[in-house]
Amino acid sequence: MHDAFEALVALEKLPLHIECIATWESSLFIGTRTGVLLVYSIKEGNGDKRLEVELKRPMKSFSKKPIVQLDVVGPLGIFIALSDGVIGIYDLETCSPRGQLQKSKGANCFAVRVQPGASGKGHNVFLCVSVRRHLEIHQWNSRDGMFVQFCPDLNVPDTARVLTWCGDSICVGFKREYTLVQISGGALTELFATGRHDPVIVSLGPYDVALGKDDMSICVNHEGKPTQKQALMWSDPPFALERIEPYIIGLLPKVVEVRTLEPRMLVQSFALDKARFICAGRDIYVASEYRVWRLEPIELVAQVNQLVQDKQFELALNLAKRVQESKRDNRERIAEVRQLQAFHLFTQHRFEDCLKIYSELTTDVKYVIGLFPGLLPNEFRKTLKYPAVPPVLVGSELEKGLGALADYLTGKRNTLAKQTKEVPTTDEQKRAHEEILHVWEVIDSTLLKCYLKINDALVRPLLRLKDNCCHLVECERVLQNAEKYEELVQLYQNKENHKKALDLLLRHGQKNTGPLRGHEPTIRYLQHLGPKRLELIFEYSKWILKAKPEDGLRIFTEDIPEVEALPRDKVLGHLESVAKSLVIKYLEHIIIYTQDTNPVFHNRLVTLYRERIEAILVEQSPANGSAMQSVTAGSEPGDLGHYRQRLLTFLEQSQHYTPAKLIVHFPIGKLFEERALLLGRMNRHEQALAIYTHVLKDTKQAEDYCRKNYNRSSEHSKDVYLCLLRMYLQPPPASSLGVSTETIPQANVTAALEVLLEHYEHIDTAKALELLPADIPIMEIDQFLCHVLSKQTVRRRNQQMLKSLLLSELLDVQQQRIAVQSQLSLITQETSCATCRKRINQSAFARHPDGTLEHYYCYQKTQSNT
């Protein structure tokens, strides 16, 4: 507790029995049992005399009956008195009567409500009077200077003991219960019982009241709903209450208590003998039957300081906001109290509440981090000054605190991220930006330490952030001590210290245990380095390519942007120098899967296929080699068939190799199928067909070759079937075919006739007949000739039909032309343009199909607009 008020004796040993009191500015109005009204002026005194009291006006003949209630309406310059069941209106200065509410005879209590007028001009004053079992509502009429009835009387179930305005309703305390009565309509809302004592109501604001029930005060709003989770408790049932922000003063049988609603606490308790009445205005007065005290508020600054010492920070903040001083000083005072409150919450291990306050105050992050052990260097932490020595956190409390700190730092981090979006331009902005980055570095480094202690699974997501600002040296030390090598690699990668990361991966990759064992972590790391760090990729891929060639190739073939951006010519050179066995697979990958069209790569792949095939052929024995001559190319067993099939397929499908450069490396006496494909790509069809017909003796392959290469519109390929016919009828010398001189190519008339019969439509008949031997019987070519003649007949018939159709169309067009030309356009002096309405005369004109005429330039203008 602390002292919020000081009780000063204002009046004592009055000869008259006090029934009620009211105050306005420096005046105190006292209503007595004998009907005498006493008006005192009470001002600040000098020296030992704290108060100067002067009786301004004793109104002995004010009333013949006790004055049971007084209330001052200062804005109207009146006060209201209830005596002998009559409501009287009196002048505030002279105490002279202005009138009475005759309709309210028999009144037992009243309540006044003062509201600002419309647009802030004047005041709206309402008066509620309880008369037996109904309530009268009056409104002040400034024109007449008197209260007039505002609405019909409101019926209630019992006589009211006490009244208080609550919004647009009246809160009524009956003998047994509290009820809310709406002015508009008179609807009643029953609240709860009053308990064993008389009802007590105090207004907490325009729309809230506190209702007494025994030793409790229950707060409700104008709808009758509780506004506090718990009631305000008193040591005894109070019989009078008064609201003095932020306090509620209660007059109890033995003492006067001062309490607060938020937080609910007893602030002060002092004894005033038989105090029964209380009123508040500019000053606060408490009265017994023959004595009056003034409650003098203790200076707010002193109260705040006392509360801070007592660690009652919520109330201290409430009072600090009310201190009358400059806005800047008030902000500093509130911030100081909140800083102390936050530290106190930390000592109570209420970390979330503590850090919330620090966040709102934008306290230096390093100051907050220094509260926790082991997060800042000891030398720096010793320089931080706290209200007291921070408690040492261990065990679950430390884990709980670090969790709250991590959330706090994450929020700060997000705030800094928003502040760094704009690029600094001025020197001041650049200095501020550097300071932000320094704080950011402290935050991220501390977050990493927190995560290591509370949840190490969060470390890697933190390090993967693109804007991560962890301090390299400090975090490297922490991660090494914690043996978090995967996270250490991530740190190096984020800081672009790739050599350190790769050295670490190399050391641990050669171990049999640990998260970084094996070559996979290194492969994944190298795959994401990109072309700018090609030298590092080549340097640290060597040990993988030698140990695990197939896996090492994935460094250069993975389907990710960084790998696809690598310069393929340099990668090819690296593989040829380190792992030559992988070159074919790499070339196949970039040509087949990535669709690379570079002729250099295509030529290189053909060369590698050829070299591999030749090496296999050399390794085979002569016996096996002769046996292989009868096997179709690509169907040989083992690697030979595998590579020949790949080579043949590639030569047939690829359009980007250079056959003229490659064919010189293919010997005449070997790899006939491959040589034939190369010759065909060079449009040397006779040589290619010579190989199929006389070396391989495969008529089917020869015809397939012609089918694939025939093109009627190409000068080089339109006579490919004629070339096949020539190879059958006029074979070339054996020396040009690359076969043994003992084997002489022989003409194959039967095959030639079959070609003529099946492909006569693709062969020039005259040239074919010139190639046929002169002694060939006509019966052997009669089918060929019949097919040719039939074809020519059909073609002639089609041409004649086409000619007739074209002639008919020509005659139709000629007829239409004559009909159009036969039309006349007569131009007279009255003929005008359809567009501009001017005469055409001898100007150039245009005629439309419907006969409409217009100037030629008008016609051109219309056409250009459309």
Coordinates of all heavy atoms in Angstrom, one line a residue, residues 532-598:
K532 N 30.1 -19.3 -61.9 CA 31.1 -18.3 -61.4 C 32.1 -19.0 -60.6 O 33.2 -18.4 -60.3 CB 30.3 -17.3 -60.6 CG 29.4 -16.3 -61.4 CD 28.8 -15.3 -60.5 CE 27.9 -14.4 -61.4 NZ 27.3 -13.3 -60.5
R533 N 31.9 -20.2 -60.1 CA 32.8 -20.9 -59.2 C 33.2 -22.2 -59.8 O 33.3 -23.2 -59.2 CB 32.2 -21.1 -57.8 CG 31.8 -19.8 -57.2 CD 31.0 -20.0 -55.9 NE 30.5 -18.7 -55.4 CZ 29.4 -18.1 -55.7 NH1 28.6 -18.7 -56.7 NH2 29.0 -17.0 -55.2
L534 N 33.5 -22.1 -61.1 CA 33.8 -23.3 -61.9 C 35.1 -24.0 -61.4 O 35.2 -25.2 -61.4 CB 33.9 -23.0 -63.4 CG 33.9 -24.1 -64.4 CD1 32.6 -24.9 -64.2 CD2 34.0 -23.6 -65.8
E535 N 36.1 -23.2 -61.1 CA 37.3 -23.7 -60.6 C 37.2 -24.6 -59.4 O 37.8 -25.6 -59.3 CB 38.4 -22.6 -60.4 CG 38.7 -21.9 -61.7 CD 39.8 -20.8 -61.5 OE1 40.2 -20.7 -60.3 OE2 40.2 -20.1 -62.4
L536 N 36.4 -24.1 -58.4 CA 36.1 -24.8 -57.2 C 35.4 -26.2 -57.5 O 35.7 -27.2 -57.0 CB 35.3 -24.0 -56.2 CG 36.0 -23.0 -55.4 CD1 35.0 -22.2 -54.6 CD2 37.0 -23.6 -54.5
I537 N 34.5 -26.1 -58.5 CA 33.7 -27.3 -58.8 C 34.7 -28.3 -59.4 O 34.7 -29.5 -59.1 CB 32.6 -27.0 -59.9 CG1 31.6 -26.1 -59.2 CG2 32.0 -28.3 -60.4 CD1 30.5 -25.6 -60.2
F538 N 35.6 -27.9 -60.3 CA 36.5 -28.8 -60.9 C 37.5 -29.4 -59.9 O 37.8 -30.6 -59.9 CB 37.3 -28.1 -62.0 CG 36.5 -27.8 -63.3 CD1 36.9 -27.0 -64.2 CD2 35.3 -28.5 -63.5 CE1 36.2 -26.7 -65.4 CE2 34.5 -28.2 -64.6 CZ 35.0 -27.3 -65.6
E539 N 38.0 -28.5 -59.0 CA 39.0 -28.9 -58.0 C 38.4 -30.0 -57.0 O 39.1 -31.0 -56.8 CB 39.5 -27.7 -57.2 CG 40.5 -28.1 -56.1 CD 40.9 -26.8 -55.4 OE1 40.5 -25.7 -55.7 OE2 41.7 -27.0 -54.4
Y540 N 37.2 -29.7 -56.5 CA 36.7 -30.6 -55.5 C 35.8 -31.8 -56.1 O 35.2 -32.5 -55.3 CB 35.9 -29.8 -54.5 CG 36.8 -29.0 -53.6 CD1 37.1 -27.7 -53.9 CD2 37.3 -29.6 -52.4 CE1 37.9 -27.0 -53.1 CE2 38.1 -28.8 -51.6 CZ 38.5 -27.5 -51.9 OH 39.3 -26.8 -51.1
S541 N 35.6 -31.8 -57.4 CA 34.9 -32.9 -58.0 C 35.9 -34.1 -58.4 O 35.4 -35.2 -58.6 CB 34.2 -32.5 -59.2 OG 35.1 -32.1 -60.2
K542 N 37.2 -33.8 -58.3 CA 38.1 -34.8 -58.8 C 38.1 -36.1 -57.9 O 38.0 -37.2 -58.4 CB 39.6 -34.3 -58.8 CG 39.8 -33.2 -59.8 CD 41.2 -32.6 -59.7 CE 41.5 -31.6 -60.8 NZ 42.8 -31.0 -60.7
W543 N 38.0 -35.9 -56.6 CA 38.1 -37.1 -55.7 C 36.8 -37.9 -55.9 O 36.8 -39.2 -55.7 CB 38.3 -36.7 -54.3 CG 37.2 -36.0 -53.5 CD1 36.9 -34.7 -53.5 CD2 36.2 -36.7 -52.7 NE1 35.8 -34.5 -52.8 CE2 35.4 -35.6 -52.2 CE3 36.0 -38.0 -52.3 CZ2 34.3 -35.9 -51.4 CZ3 34.9 -38.2 -51.4 CH2 34.1 -37.2 -51.0
I544 N 35.7 -37.3 -56.2 CA 34.5 -38.0 -56.4 C 34.5 -38.7 -57.7 O 34.1 -39.9 -57.8 CB 33.2 -37.1 -56.3 CG1 33.2 -36.4 -54.9 CG2 31.9 -37.8 -56.4 CD1 32.2 -35.3 -54.8
L545 N 34.9 -38.0 -58.7 CA 35.0 -38.7 -60.1 C 35.9 -39.9 -60.1 O 35.7 -40.9 -60.8 CB 35.5 -37.6 -61.1 CG 34.5 -36.5 -61.4 CD1 35.2 -35.4 -62.3 CD2 33.2 -37.0 -62.1
K546 N 36.9 -39.9 -59.3 CA 37.8 -41.0 -59.2 C 37.3 -42.1 -58.3 O 37.5 -43.3 -58.6 CB 39.2 -40.5 -58.7 CG 39.9 -39.6 -59.7 CD 41.2 -39.1 -59.1 CE 42.0 -38.2 -60.0 NZ 43.2 -37.7 -59.5
A547 N 36.7 -41.7 -57.2 CA 36.1 -42.8 -56.3 C 34.8 -43.3 -56.8 O 34.6 -44.5 -56.8 CB 36.0 -42.2 -54.9
K548 N 33.9 -42.4 -57.2 CA 32.5 -42.9 -57.6 C 32.2 -42.1 -58.9 O 31.5 -41.1 -58.9 CB 31.5 -42.5 -56.6 CG 31.7 -43.3 -55.2 CD 31.3 -44.7 -55.4 CE 31.4 -45.5 -54.0 NZ 31.0 -46.9 -54.1
P549 N 32.7 -42.6 -60.1 CA 32.5 -41.9 -61.3 C 31.1 -41.6 -61.7 O 30.7 -40.5 -62.1 CB 33.2 -42.8 -62.4 CG 34.2 -43.6 -61.6 CD 33.5 -43.9 -60.3
E550 N 30.2 -42.7 -61.6 CA 28.8 -42.5 -62.0 C 28.1 -41.4 -61.1 O 27.4 -40.6 -61.6 CB 28.1 -43.8 -61.8 CG 28.6 -44.9 -62.7 CD 28.3 -44.6 -64.2 OE1 27.4 -43.9 -64.5 OE2 29.1 -45.1 -65.1
D551 N 28.4 -41.5 -59.8 CA 27.8 -40.4 -59.0 C 28.4 -39.1 -59.2 O 27.7 -38.0 -59.2 CB 27.9 -40.8 -57.5 CG 27.1 -42.0 -57.1 OD1 26.1 -42.3 -57.9 OD2 27.4 -42.7 -56.1
G552 N 29.7 -39.1 -59.5 CA 30.4 -37.8 -59.7 C 29.8 -37.1 -61.0 O 29.8 -35.9 -61.0
L553 N 29.4 -37.9 -62.0 CA 28.9 -37.3 -63.2 C 27.6 -36.4 -62.9 O 27.4 -35.5 -63.6 CB 28.5 -38.4 -64.2 CG 28.0 -37.9 -65.6 CD1 29.1 -37.0 -66.3 CD2 27.7 -39.1 -66.4
R554 N 26.9 -36.7 -61.8 CA 25.7 -36.0 -61.5 C 26.0 -34.5 -61.1 O 25.1 -33.7 -61.2 CB 25.0 -36.6 -60.3 CG 24.3 -37.9 -60.7 CD 23.7 -38.7 -59.6 NE 23.4 -37.9 -58.5 CZ 23.6 -38.2 -57.2 NH1 24.3 -39.3 -56.9 NH2 23.3 -37.5 -56.2
I555 N 27.2 -34.3 -60.8 CA 27.6 -32.9 -60.5 C 27.4 -32.0 -61.7 O 27.1 -30.8 -61.6 CB 29.1 -32.8 -60.1 CG1 29.3 -33.6 -58.8 CG2 29.6 -31.4 -59.9 CD1 30.8 -33.8 -58.4
F556 N 27.5 -32.6 -62.9 CA 27.4 -31.8 -64.2 C 26.2 -32.2 -65.0 O 26.0 -31.6 -66.1 CB 28.6 -32.1 -65.0 CG 29.9 -32.0 -64.3 CD1 30.7 -33.1 -63.8 CD2 30.4 -30.7 -64.1 CE1 31.8 -32.9 -63.1 CE2 31.6 -30.5 -63.4 CZ 32.3 -31.6 -62.9
T557 N 25.3 -33.0 -64.5 CA 24.1 -33.4 -65.3 C 22.8 -33.3 -64.6 O 21.8 -33.5 -65.1 CB 24.3 -34.9 -65.7 OG1 24.4 -35.8 -64.6 CG2 25.5 -35.1 -66.6
E558 N 22.8 -32.8 -63.3 CA 21.6 -32.7 -62.5 C 20.7 -31.6 -63.2 O 21.1 -30.6 -63.7 CB 21.9 -32.4 -61.1 CG 20.7 -32.6 -60.1 CD 20.5 -34.1 -59.9 OE1 21.4 -34.9 -60.1 OE2 19.4 -34.5 -59.5
D559 N 19.4 -31.9 -63.1 CA 18.4 -31.0 -63.7 C 18.1 -29.8 -62.8 O 17.0 -29.7 -62.2 CB 17.1 -31.8 -64.1 CG 16.2 -30.9 -64.9 OD1 16.6 -29.9 -65.4 OD2 15.0 -31.3 -64.9
I560 N 19.1 -29.0 -62.6 CA 18.9 -27.7 -61.8 C 19.5 -26.6 -62.5 O 20.4 -26.8 -63.3 CB 19.5 -27.9 -60.3 CG1 20.9 -28.2 -60.4 CG2 18.7 -28.9 -59.5 CD1 21.6 -28.3 -59.0
P561 N 19.0 -25.4 -62.3 CA 19.5 -24.2 -63.1 C 21.0 -24.0 -63.0 O 21.7 -23.7 -64.0 CB 18.8 -23.0 -62.5 CG 17.5 -23.6 -61.9 CD 17.9 -25.0 -61.4
E562 N 21.6 -24.2 -61.8 CA 23.0 -23.9 -61.7 C 23.9 -24.9 -62.5 O 24.9 -24.5 -63.1 CB 23.4 -24.0 -60.2 CG 22.9 -22.9 -59.3 CD 21.5 -23.3 -58.8 OE1 20.9 -24.3 -59.2 OE2 21.0 -22.5 -57.9
V563 N 23.4 -26.1 -62.6 CA 24.2 -27.1 -63.4 C 24.0 -26.9 -64.8 O 25.0 -26.9 -65.6 CB 23.7 -28.5 -63.0 CG1 24.3 -29.6 -63.9 CG2 24.1 -28.9 -61.5
E564 N 22.8 -26.5 -65.3 CA 22.6 -26.3 -66.7 C 23.3 -25.1 -67.2 O 23.6 -25.0 -68.4 CB 21.1 -26.1 -66.9 CG 20.3 -27.4 -66.7 CD 18.8 -27.2 -66.9 OE1 18.4 -26.1 -67.3 OE2 18.0 -28.2 -66.8
A565 N 23.6 -24.2 -66.3 CA 24.3 -23.0 -66.7 C 25.9 -23.2 -66.8 O 26.6 -22.3 -67.3 CB 24.1 -21.8 -65.7
L566 N 26.4 -24.3 -66.4 CA 27.8 -24.5 -66.5 C 28.3 -24.6 -68.0 O 27.6 -25.1 -68.9 CB 28.2 -25.9 -65.9 CG 27.9 -25.9 -64.3 CD1 28.3 -27.3 -63.8 CD2 28.7 -24.9 -63.6
P567 N 29.4 -24.0 -68.3 CA 29.9 -24.0 -69.7 C 30.3 -25.5 -70.1 O 31.2 -26.1 -69.5 CB 31.2 -23.1 -69.6 CG 31.6 -23.1 -68.2 CD 30.4 -23.3 -67.4
R568 N 29.6 -26.0 -71.1 CA 29.7 -27.4 -71.4 C 31.1 -27.8 -72.0 O 31.6 -28.9 -71.8 CB 28.6 -27.9 -72.3 CG 27.2 -27.8 -71.5 CD 26.0 -27.9 -72.5 NE 24.8 -27.9 -71.7 CZ 23.6 -27.7 -72.2 NH1 23.5 -27.6 -73.5 NH2 22.5 -27.7 -71.4
D569 N 31.6 -26.9 -72.8 CA 32.9 -27.2 -73.4 C 34.0 -27.4 -72.3 O 34.9 -28.3 -72.4 CB 33.3 -26.1 -74.4 CG 33.3 -24.7 -73.7 OD1 32.6 -24.5 -72.7 OD2 33.9 -23.8 -74.3
K570 N 34.0 -26.5 -71.3 CA 35.0 -26.6 -70.2 C 34.7 -27.9 -69.3 O 35.6 -28.5 -68.9 CB 34.9 -25.4 -69.3 CG 35.4 -24.1 -70.1 CD 35.4 -22.9 -69.2 CE 35.9 -21.7 -69.9 NZ 35.9 -20.5 -69.1
V571 N 33.4 -28.2 -69.1 CA 33.1 -29.4 -68.4 C 33.6 -30.6 -69.1 O 34.2 -31.6 -68.6 CB 31.6 -29.5 -68.1 CG1 31.2 -30.9 -67.5 CG2 31.1 -28.4 -67.2
L572 N 33.4 -30.6 -70.5 CA 33.9 -31.7 -71.3 C 35.4 -31.9 -71.2 O 35.9 -33.0 -71.1 CB 33.4 -31.5 -72.7 CG 33.8 -32.5 -73.7 CD1 33.1 -33.9 -73.4 CD2 33.4 -32.1 -75.2
G573 N 36.1 -30.8 -71.2 CA 37.5 -30.8 -71.1 C 38.0 -31.4 -69.8 O 38.9 -32.1 -69.7
H574 N 37.2 -31.0 -68.7 CA 37.6 -31.5 -67.3 C 37.4 -33.0 -67.3 O 38.2 -33.7 -66.7 CB 36.7 -30.7 -66.3 CG 36.8 -31.2 -64.9 ND1 38.0 -31.1 -64.2 CD2 35.9 -31.9 -64.1 CE1 37.8 -31.7 -63.0 NE2 36.6 -32.1 -62.9
L575 N 36.3 -33.5 -67.8 CA 36.0 -34.9 -67.7 C 37.0 -35.7 -68.6 O 37.4 -36.8 -68.2 CB 34.6 -35.2 -68.2 CG 33.4 -34.7 -67.3 CD1 32.1 -34.9 -68.0 CD2 33.5 -35.3 -66.0
E576 N 37.4 -35.2 -69.7 CA 38.4 -35.9 -70.5 C 39.7 -36.0 -69.8 O 40.5 -37.0 -70.0 CB 38.6 -35.2 -71.9 CG 37.4 -35.3 -72.8 CD 37.6 -34.6 -74.1 OE1 38.4 -33.7 -74.1 OE2 36.9 -35.0 -75.1
S577 N 40.0 -35.0 -68.9 CA 41.3 -35.1 -68.2 C 41.2 -35.9 -67.0 O 42.3 -36.4 -66.5 CB 41.8 -33.7 -67.9 OG 40.9 -33.0 -67.0
V578 N 40.1 -36.0 -66.3 CA 39.9 -36.6 -65.0 C 39.3 -38.0 -65.1 O 39.7 -39.0 -64.6 CB 39.2 -35.7 -64.0 CG1 39.0 -36.5 -62.7 CG2 39.9 -34.4 -63.9
A579 N 38.2 -38.1 -65.9 CA 37.4 -39.3 -66.0 C 36.9 -39.5 -67.4 O 35.8 -39.2 -67.8 CB 36.2 -39.3 -65.0
K580 N 37.8 -40.0 -68.3 CA 37.5 -40.1 -69.7 C 36.3 -41.1 -70.0 O 35.6 -41.0 -71.0 CB 38.7 -40.6 -70.5 CG 38.6 -40.3 -71.9 CD 40.0 -40.5 -72.6 CE 39.8 -40.2 -74.1 NZ 41.2 -40.3 -74.8
S581 N 36.1 -42.0 -69.1 CA 35.1 -43.0 -69.3 C 33.7 -42.4 -69.2 O 32.7 -43.0 -69.6 CB 35.2 -44.1 -68.2 OG 35.0 -43.6 -66.9
L582 N 33.6 -41.2 -68.6 CA 32.3 -40.5 -68.5 C 32.0 -39.5 -69.6 O 30.9 -39.0 -69.6 CB 32.3 -39.7 -67.1 CG 32.5 -40.6 -65.9 CD1 32.5 -39.6 -64.7 CD2 31.4 -41.6 -65.7
V583 N 32.9 -39.4 -70.5 CA 32.7 -38.4 -71.5 C 31.5 -38.7 -72.4 O 30.7 -37.9 -72.8 CB 34.0 -38.2 -72.4 CG1 33.7 -37.2 -73.5 CG2 35.1 -37.7 -71.5
I584 N 31.4 -40.0 -72.8 CA 30.3 -40.4 -73.7 C 29.0 -40.2 -73.0 O 28.0 -39.6 -73.6 CB 30.5 -41.9 -74.1 CG1 31.7 -42.0 -75.1 CG2 29.2 -42.4 -74.7 CD1 31.9 -43.5 -75.5
K585 N 28.9 -40.5 -71.7 CA 27.6 -40.4 -71.0 C 27.3 -38.9 -70.9 O 26.1 -38.5 -70.9 CB 27.7 -41.0 -69.6 CG 27.8 -42.5 -69.7 CD 27.8 -43.1 -68.3 CE 27.8 -44.6 -68.4 NZ 27.8 -45.3 -67.0
Y586 N 28.3 -38.0 -70.6 CA 28.0 -36.6 -70.5 C 27.5 -36.0 -71.8 O 26.6 -35.3 -71.9 CB 29.3 -35.9 -70.1 CG 29.1 -34.4 -70.0 CD1 28.4 -33.8 -69.0 CD2 29.7 -33.6 -71.0 CE1 28.2 -32.4 -68.9 CE2 29.5 -32.2 -70.9 CZ 28.8 -31.6 -69.9 OH 28.6 -30.3 -69.8
L587 N 28.2 -36.4 -73.0 CA 27.8 -36.0 -74.3 C 26.4 -36.4 -74.6 O 25.5 -35.7 -75.2 CB 28.7 -36.4 -75.3 CG 30.1 -35.7 -75.3 CD1 31.1 -36.3 -76.3 CD2 29.9 -34.2 -75.7
E588 N 26.1 -37.7 -74.3 CA 24.7 -38.2 -74.5 C 23.7 -37.4 -73.7 O 22.6 -37.1 -74.2 CB 24.6 -39.7 -74.1 CG 25.4 -40.6 -75.1 CD 25.4 -42.1 -74.6 OE1 25.1 -42.3 -73.4 OE2 25.6 -42.9 -75.5
H589 N 24.1 -37.0 -72.5 CA 23.1 -36.3 -71.6 C 22.8 -34.9 -72.3 O 21.7 -34.5 -72.4 CB 23.7 -36.1 -70.2 CG 23.0 -35.1 -69.4 ND1 21.8 -35.5 -68.8 CD2 23.2 -33.8 -69.1 CE1 21.3 -34.4 -68.1 NE2 22.1 -33.4 -68.3
I590 N 23.9 -34.2 -72.6 CA 23.6 -32.8 -73.1 C 23.0 -32.8 -74.5 O 22.3 -31.8 -74.8 CB 24.9 -32.0 -73.1 CG1 26.0 -32.6 -74.1 CG2 25.5 -31.9 -71.7 CD1 27.2 -31.7 -74.2
I591 N 23.2 -33.9 -75.3 CA 22.7 -33.9 -76.6 C 21.2 -34.4 -76.6 O 20.3 -33.8 -77.2 CB 23.5 -34.7 -77.6 CG1 24.9 -34.0 -77.8 CG2 22.8 -35.0 -78.9 CD1 25.9 -34.8 -78.6
I592 N 21.0 -35.5 -75.9 CA 19.7 -36.2 -75.9 C 18.7 -35.5 -75.0 O 17.6 -35.3 -75.4 CB 19.9 -37.7 -75.6 CG1 20.8 -38.4 -76.6 CG2 18.5 -38.4 -75.5 CD1 21.1 -39.8 -76.3
Y593 N 19.2 -35.2 -73.8 CA 18.2 -34.7 -72.8 C 18.1 -33.2 -72.8 O 17.0 -32.7 -72.5 CB 18.6 -35.2 -71.4 CG 18.5 -36.7 -71.2 CD1 19.6 -37.5 -71.3 CD2 17.3 -37.3 -71.1 CE1 19.6 -38.9 -71.2 CE2 17.2 -38.7 -71.0 CZ 18.3 -39.5 -71.0 OH 18.2 -40.8 -71.0
T594 N 19.2 -32.5 -73.0 CA 19.1 -31.0 -73.0 C 19.0 -30.4 -74.4 O 19.0 -29.2 -74.6 CB 20.3 -30.4 -72.3 OG1 21.5 -30.7 -73.0 CG2 20.5 -31.0 -70.9
Q595 N 19.0 -31.3 -75.5 CA 18.8 -30.9 -76.8 C 19.9 -29.9 -77.3 O 19.6 -28.9 -78.0 CB 17.4 -30.3 -77.0 CG 16.3 -31.2 -76.6 CD 16.2 -32.4 -77.5 OE1 16.3 -32.3 -78.7 NE2 16.0 -33.6 -76.9
D596 N 21.1 -30.1 -76.9 CA 22.2 -29.2 -77.4 C 22.5 -29.5 -78.8 O 22.7 -30.6 -79.2 CB 23.5 -29.4 -76.5 CG 24.5 -28.3 -76.7 OD1 24.8 -28.0 -77.8 OD2 24.9 -27.8 -75.6
T597 N 22.6 -28.4 -79.6 CA 22.8 -28.5 -81.1 C 24.1 -28.1 -81.5 O 24.4 -28.0 -82.8 CB 21.7 -27.7 -81.8 OG1 21.9 -26.3 -81.4 CG2 20.3 -28.1 -81.5
N598 N 25.1 -28.0 -80.6 CA 26.4 -27.6 -81.0 C 27.1 -28.7 -81.8 O 27.2 -29.8 -81.3 CB 27.2 -27.3 -79.7 CG 28.6 -26.7 -80.0 OD1 29.1 -26.8 -81.1 ND2 29.1 -25.9 -79.0

